[in-house]
Amino acid sequence: PMPPLRLALHQGLCPTGLWKAPRASHHSDEIRAAMRLGFNGVRCHQAVFEPAFFEAADRLGFLAIAEYPDWVGRPSQRCGPAYSQWRDRLLS
């Protein structure tokens, strides 16, 4: 049987680069810290996370649910950058 899900909300913020990891081991370290706290996954909140985050999660057996940014109506200047990131991820 599957263990119960114990998920945390992950904003994806890094101490030195906002959304860019400061070093290669950052994602693995962060995931291991969450696992020590009893979490077995995260919901990646309203951002386009680095592929390295998902690769680290896969290696460590940690569930990562991606939630891409959303908006109401047509893409506008306000959501243009998020829309571009979302489109690029889906088409890559």
Side-chain angles (χ1 to χ4, degrees):
M2 187 173 143
L5 294 177
R6 292 186 182 91
L7 303 178
L9 175 66
H10 187 8
Q11 298 280 1
L13 303 176
C14 294
T16 58
L18 195 55
W19 286 288
K20 179 79 173 137
R23 63 189 182 290
S25 64
H26 176 80
H27 298 304
S28 297
D29 295 344
E30 191 172 57
I31 290 168
R32 284 188 189 98
M35 294 172 83
R36 282 192 301 275
L37 291 171
F39 294 105
N40 58 9
V42 290
R43 178 172 62 92
C44 301
H45 181 67
Q46 298 279 323
V48 178
F49 282 59
E50 293 179 279
F53 175 81
F54 295 105
E55 291 164 8
D58 284 347
R59 272 194 319 274
L60 295 168
F62 193 73
L63 178 66
I65 300 169
E67 174 189 291
Y68 282 88
D70 62 352
W71 52 82
V72 177
R74 295 177 52 112
S76 66
Q77 285 210 301
R78 186 172 67 96
C79 66
Y83 176 76
S84 297
Q85 290 178 346
W86 176 79
R87 183 194 62 227
D88 293 347
R89 285 288 178 242
L90 286 178
L91 298 177
S92 63

